[in-house]
Amino acid sequence: MPLKLYNTMTRSVDEFTPRDSKTVTMYTCGPTVYNFAHIGNLRTYVFEDVLVRALAMAGFDVNRVMNVTDVGHLTDDADSGEDKMEKGAAREGKTVWEIAQYYLDAFEADMEHLHILPPTVWCKATDEIDTQIDQVKILEDKGFTYTTSDAVYFDTSKLPDYGKLSRQNLDELEAGKRVEMGEKKNPTDFALWKCSPEGTQRLMEWPSPWGVGFPGWHIECSSMAIKYLGEHLDIHCGGIDHIQVHHSNEIAQAEAALGHEWCNWWMHGEFLLAGGKMSKSSGEFLTLALLIEKGYDPIAYRYFLLGAHYRQQLQFSFEGLDAAASAIKNLTRIVEPLRAKATGAEQPIQAAMASYIEAVNDDLNMPRALAAMWNATKLDAPAGEIYATLLEMDKVLALGIATMAEDTSDLDPAAIDALIVDRTTAKAEKNWGRADEIRDELMAMGIEIMDSAEGTTWRKA
């Protein structure tokens, strides 16, 4: 079955075909590094990771670029408020550069904990100021901009299909906007370059043909994507909240500058809800570090996310996370004895893989893919073949099956093994009373023993 994906632009699930038969160019909106990513943000990155892995399973190489927004993202998407980086620096009494590096390091740690593959290219907005200025110049030369006392704006009235991603025309978009117009011509117009007020100095500002200032949030993504991936992009991803403003503005900038359609496939992950939409604006939000502090394995959170389709809203609850953690423990108990019996030469079971691949290729239907994985664990087949099948499935699931092991740090394996040897000896001598005493002693220690023709093994109860 070919890989089929939902395209937000067309509102349909279609067979995915990149421009190049082997390499997929993909841009994913990265973090704004003024605070920790919350677990709702991380849902988007897990969805994108599944997409990258599914593309690889389908035989494609993926050239993926992710930006790091370390300037230009204002507290209000409508070009007003403080720069989020400067706000973060003031909150913590650090420089904007210290804030940016600290939260980028934290984000990369979250990615590692969740087995999210790193992008091919990381690009920071502050490293690409000239790239952004160059695209603003192109737009200015083509007549898509106007300059006011505070900014260079993109004139959305000059682009007849502005808003096509959200399928709202200009009149509808303008009617829905509640913005301070200032010197804007249209409510949907947005800043390409913000000028620093005369007589003031911001923490982050650069010279430009329009005066000292800083780039708008939207220009960084389109300009850096074009620089690193070329004029034609296969896939652009992000959260569903980006559709109406950020991604619509990216399309406007890119297509006005290039003069042709820019991106073939737009893909968006739905919200994680915790009562309502999870947000940083209140200052109180759940992070992966907090889940770890509470004793949860980060992979339990990944499993929790895989239990819902990426285009469906997902309600977070600790009960749901507990169920995911329990599933990971059960999977570990299944995997360890399979691994012990595997030689490494076995091949995956094709019938099991077929149902799994069908699920993944059906617009990343990970709930069905998980069901296919659990079905594989129940097959009447050699242990090594089942293990090989699970390993192959894990190339997309990324649950860490190859290294899954129960936590025995609170146990004394040598003492347990010695008791099992004593029990085996007692059974050989037909000293059934002593054998039962040792079994009860192990049970009191929280150890479950399994007898088979190949010997006795144990695990945490």
Side-chain angles (χ1 to χ4, degrees):
M1 177 182 175
L3 177 60
K4 294 184 177 181
L5 299 171
Y6 182 81
N7 187 345
T8 306
M9 185 67 78
T10 64
R11 302 296 197 272
S12 61
V13 176
D14 299 301
E15 181 177 343
F16 174 72
T17 306
R19 288 181 177 273
D20 183 296
S21 61
K22 292 186 177 179
T23 302
V24 175
T25 55
M26 178 176 171
Y27 185 87
T28 53
C29 287
T32 301
V33 285
Y34 73 106
N35 210 328
F36 294 108
H38 60 58
I39 60 172
N41 301 139
L42 295 174
R43 184 188 185 194
T44 298
Y45 298 112
V46 169
F47 136 62
E48 292 165 348
D49 183 64
V50 168
L51 173 59
V52 170
R53 292 171 180 275
L55 288 164
M57 187 176 75
F60 299 112
D61 294 324
V62 182
N63 183 10
R64 178 189 181 195
V65 172
M66 182 186 287
N67 71 305
V68 177
T69 299
D70 53 0
V71 69
H73 193 173
L74 304 184
T75 50
D76 186 322
D77 287 350
D79 299 320
S80 62
E82 300 174 77
D83 184 292
K84 290 185 177 183
M85 295 302 302
E86 295 201 355
K87 184 177 180 181
R91 178 187 69 233
E92 300 187 22
K94 297 177 182 177
T95 70
V96 286
W97 309 103
E98 289 170 337
I99 286 285
Q101 192 59 54
Y102 179 79
Y103 287 115
L104 177 56
D105 289 345
F107 178 72
E108 290 188 75
D110 286 346
M111 290 180 69
E112 188 174 342
H113 282 310
L114 290 169
H115 296 176
I116 297 172
L117 297 170
T120 314
V121 175
W122 287 99
C123 49
K124 294 182 179 180
T126 52
D127 289 340
E128 302 288 349
I129 299 298
D130 289 343
T131 302
Q132 296 166 78
I133 289 174
D134 287 345
Q135 190 173 72
V136 179
K137 285 181 181 176
I138 291 170
L139 293 170
E140 184 177 54
D141 291 343
K142 290 192 171 188
F144 285 97
T145 73
Y146 60 91
T147 302
T148 68
S149 63
D150 74 317
V152 179
Y153 285 100
F154 186 96
D155 188 344
T156 54
S157 68
K158 296 288 183 71
L159 204 64
D161 61 356
Y162 177 79
K164 62 184 177 179
L165 185 65
S166 63
R167 296 200 171 181
Q168 291 178 277
N169 61 38
L170 271 178
D171 291 338
E172 290 172 333
L173 286 168
E174 290 180 1
K177 290 281 183 181
R178 295 180 180 177
V179 299
E180 293 293 330
M181 284 290 290
E183 298 176 68
K184 283 186 180 183
K185 293 181 178 180
N186 312 288
T188 52
D189 294 351
F190 55 92
L192 301 167
W193 184 268
K194 292 283 285 184
C195 301
S196 299
E198 195 170 334
T200 65
Q201 185 172 4
R202 299 179 69 258
L203 298 177
M204 304 177 90
E205 58 183 15
W206 295 264
S208 82
W210 313 281
V212 174
F214 60 98
W217 171 36
H218 315 298
I219 195 68
E220 72 176 82
C221 286
S222 60
S223 62
M224 293 192 296
I226 291 168
K227 174 179 177 177
Y228 288 102
L229 296 171
E231 292 190 0
H232 296 280
L233 184 61
D234 287 316
I235 301 176
H236 195 311
C237 294
I240 197 167
D241 51 328
H242 286 341
I243 293 174
Q244 187 165 321
V245 179
H246 183 49
H247 287 172
S248 290
N249 291 350
E250 277 192 67
I251 291 169
Q253 294 164 159
E255 296 190 356
L258 297 172
H260 59 70
E261 185 180 46
W262 175 41
C263 179
N264 283 354
W265 235 271
W266 289 87
M267 298 185 67
H268 297 89
E270 256 288 4
F271 290 133
L272 179 77
L273 304 177
K277 174 196 167 190
M278 194 167 290
S279 171
K280 297 180 188 177
S281 59
S282 66
E284 296 179 2
F285 52 88
L286 285 171
T287 64
L288 191 66
L290 180 59
L291 297 186
I292 294 170
E293 221 176 274
K294 289 178 176 289
Y296 291 99
D297 183 339
I299 294 306
Y301 182 58
R302 184 181 178 103
Y303 186 98
F304 171 78
L305 295 177
L306 297 179
H309 193 275
Y310 76 92
R311 287 195 289 115
Q312 294 177 332
Q313 291 187 351
L314 176 60
Q315 183 70 49
F316 175 79
S317 69
F318 281 103
E319 292 80 7
L321 188 57
D322 287 338
S326 180
I328 290 296
K329 287 182 180 179
N330 289 338
L331 184 60
T332 301
R333 288 181 172 182
I334 292 168
V335 163
E336 285 193 291
L338 294 175
R339 184 192 300 131
K341 295 174 183 176
T343 66
E346 297 90 351
Q347 294 298 310
I349 300 166
Q350 290 308 308
M353 286 304 304
S355 61
Y356 173 80
I357 291 170
E358 183 180 358
V360 174
N361 285 357
D362 182 16
D363 192 30
L364 314 180
N365 193 325
M366 301 317 292
R368 273 179 52 206
L370 284 175
M373 178 201 72
W374 285 110
N375 287 338
T377 67
K378 301 168 188 173
L379 291 172
D380 183 11
E385 291 183 11
I386 295 175
Y387 183 62
T389 304
L390 295 178
L391 286 180
E392 191 66 19
M393 292 175 171
D394 203 44
K395 289 180 180 179
V396 176
L397 297 172
L399 300 174
I401 284 173
T403 56
M404 275 185 173
E406 287 196 273
D407 182 9
T408 58
S409 58
D410 59 337
L411 302 176
D412 184 346
I416 294 167
D417 289 339
L419 285 169
I420 288 174
V421 170
D422 287 348
R423 179 173 175 271
T424 302
T425 301
K427 288 173 69 179
E429 296 173 351
K430 297 186 179 181
N431 187 351
W432 310 116
R434 177 56 183 153
D436 289 344
E437 285 176 5
I438 295 172
R439 180 199 61 204
D440 293 342
E441 186 177 343
L442 288 165
M443 287 181 66
M445 293 167 60
I447 303 301
E448 181 182 355
I449 55 176
M450 292 83 68
D451 293 320
S452 70
E454 298 170 357
T456 301
T457 56
W458 62 271
R459 66 186 183 193
K460 290 180 75 172

